[in-house]
Amino acid sequence: LAATIACRTKRFRLAAKNPLARKKRQRWYVFDYVNVIIMVLFMVCCIYPIVYVVAGSFNVGSDYSTGGVWLLPREFTFENYEIVLADPELWSAYLITISRTVFGTVAALLFTSIVAYAMSRRELPFKSFFHWANIITMFFGGGLVPTFLVMRMLGLLNSYFVYILPGLYSVYNMIIICNFFRGIPEELHEAAVMDGASETRIFSTIYLPLSKPVIATVALWVGIGHWNSFFDCMIYITDVRTLDSLQTLQYYLLQVINSSTLTEGMPAEQMERISSKTISMAAILVAIVPLFFAFPLIKRNFNSGIMIGSLKG
């Protein structure tokens, strides 16, 4: 929607500067109006749930239970956030999620981009075999039970590394990065080889710096995947004592929503003012706030990265 309006605005500005073109302004057709209406409705459907959660999180719980809080808090309070932020398990889960997002994303980008660079080279031995071996894994998987047994044999159960190692490599991300690497002029590689550069140096000093758009795009995918992950914590962390120190933020949020754990042991006076639902909404907001700050940092490279990585090659 924003791109459509910006494009139209730019055309109108150019037409305003040109007297001849002013008479030939592009008219809006029925499709344009329908397209804008659909995009506005889609935007509302995406934004309103967040508005609803914000309104509920800042509302007094007992008042919220009576209903009617749709856009703005009716009785404003910070008490829900005070309860959530005072929980030590929240900060432990935050630390685990932030660390796995940072280390997991960096490790996955490095490992996947190395494989992508190798697959982009024509001289790679047995390239056809590696290609089909990767493609097959995109369509066939062992399932949950075999994966669990493999994790247990590798000793990754109840370990922090169960969050990092299984996500090191993605065939889809490798294909995106590989196609971007193939679009880099081969003359750069040949010139570097003539100067005596090794493949490691060519990869680190030429290909990676030129691939910031696609790297930023894949980093966004992998990072959000790590941030939103709760299933691996629920399946692979089987020891209750280990769970207290290794639970992720999203698993903590799941427990808050399903079990209302934050309302246990509260004084009766406080229980009259709060509700488990408003506390859950506050916890949801606390969990998603960092994403609002992270996304603008790589938004510029997102569109160009996915388009170039998917079309070149």
Side-chain angles (χ1 to χ4, degrees):
L1 176 62
T4 303
I5 295 176
C7 182
R8 297 285 184 178
T9 304
K10 185 177 181 180
R11 290 176 181 175
F12 288 155
R13 287 177 179 174
L14 293 176
K17 294 180 181 179
N18 189 348
L20 297 177
R22 194 179 305 167
K23 299 180 181 180
K24 300 180 181 180
R25 288 180 179 176
Q26 185 176 3
R27 51 180 292 193
W28 279 49
Y29 297 94
V30 176
F31 172 79
D32 296 320
Y33 290 104
V34 173
N35 187 35
V36 170
I37 292 173
I38 292 176
M39 291 296 104
V40 169
L41 292 176
F42 180 76
M43 181 178 63
V44 170
C45 291
C46 292
I47 294 177
Y48 178 71
I50 300 177
V51 174
Y52 179 77
V53 171
V54 171
S57 66
F58 284 105
N59 203 89
V60 174
S62 57
D63 176 73
Y64 179 85
S65 301
T66 62
V69 179
W70 307 111
L71 291 175
L72 296 173
R74 190 163 48 211
E75 293 187 20
F76 192 86
T77 182
F78 284 108
E79 193 168 10
N80 298 312
Y81 287 94
E82 292 174 358
I83 295 172
V84 171
L85 296 177
D87 186 13
E89 290 188 11
L90 168 69
W91 301 109
S92 174
Y94 241 119
L95 180 61
I96 292 296
T97 298
I98 291 175
S99 64
R100 72 168 290 180
T101 300
V102 173
F103 296 137
T105 301
V106 172
L109 286 176
L110 181 61
F111 191 87
T112 305
S113 59
I114 289 175
V115 177
Y117 175 73
M119 293 296 295
S120 68
R121 305 306 309 156
R122 299 190 188 95
E123 62 271 18
L124 176 68
F126 309 108
K127 181 178 178 179
S128 178
F129 168 77
F130 293 129
H131 171 77
W132 287 108
N134 278 277
I135 295 299
I136 290 173
T137 62
M138 292 183 66
F139 298 99
F140 302 98
L144 179 59
V145 174
T147 303
F148 181 87
L149 296 176
V150 170
M151 297 299 170
R152 187 174 66 178
M153 288 189 295
L154 294 176
L156 294 178
L157 295 186
N158 302 309
S159 170
Y160 175 80
F161 293 101
V162 77
Y163 298 147
I164 307 298
L165 296 181
L168 276 181
Y169 181 65
S170 167
V171 177
Y172 179 78
N173 292 342
M174 185 275 291
I175 293 175
I176 295 294
I177 300 175
C178 180
N179 287 339
F180 191 96
F181 285 164
R182 288 173 181 167
I184 296 177
E186 183 65 20
E187 290 78 9
L188 292 176
H189 184 274
E190 295 175 354
V193 171
M194 293 180 63
D195 289 340
S198 63
E199 294 292 341
T200 302
R201 185 171 183 181
I202 295 173
F203 167 73
S204 60
T205 60
I206 297 178
Y207 277 74
L208 279 185
L210 293 176
S211 305
K212 290 181 181 178
V214 72
I215 294 296
T217 302
V218 175
L220 180 65
W221 293 343
V222 177
I224 290 180
H226 277 289
W227 187 269
N228 291 333
S229 179
F230 70 93
F231 190 72
D232 48 6
C233 177
M234 184 170 60
I235 297 298
Y236 301 129
I237 308 300
T238 57
D239 188 1
V240 178
R241 292 172 297 179
T242 307
L243 180 62
D244 294 336
S245 59
L246 287 181
Q247 69 173 338
T248 61
L249 183 61
Q250 303 305 323
Y251 184 78
Y252 166 84
L253 183 60
L254 178 67
Q255 295 296 102
V256 170
I257 295 174
N258 291 341
S259 306
S260 304
T261 55
L262 293 181
T263 59
E264 296 177 357
M266 287 186 177
E269 296 179 358
Q270 194 174 24
M271 288 294 294
E272 293 177 358
R273 300 191 307 271
I274 65 173
S275 71
S276 59
K277 195 162 187 179
T278 54
I279 292 178
S280 299
M281 290 181 175
I284 291 172
L285 265 247
V286 170
I288 66 175
V289 161
L291 296 181
F292 288 105
F293 292 97
F295 182 73
L297 299 178
I298 54 179
K299 182 175 67 69
R300 286 186 306 172
N301 296 321
F302 182 77
N303 291 333
S304 59
I306 182 60
M307 291 304 297
I308 296 176
S310 61
L311 296 179
K312 282 192 175 182

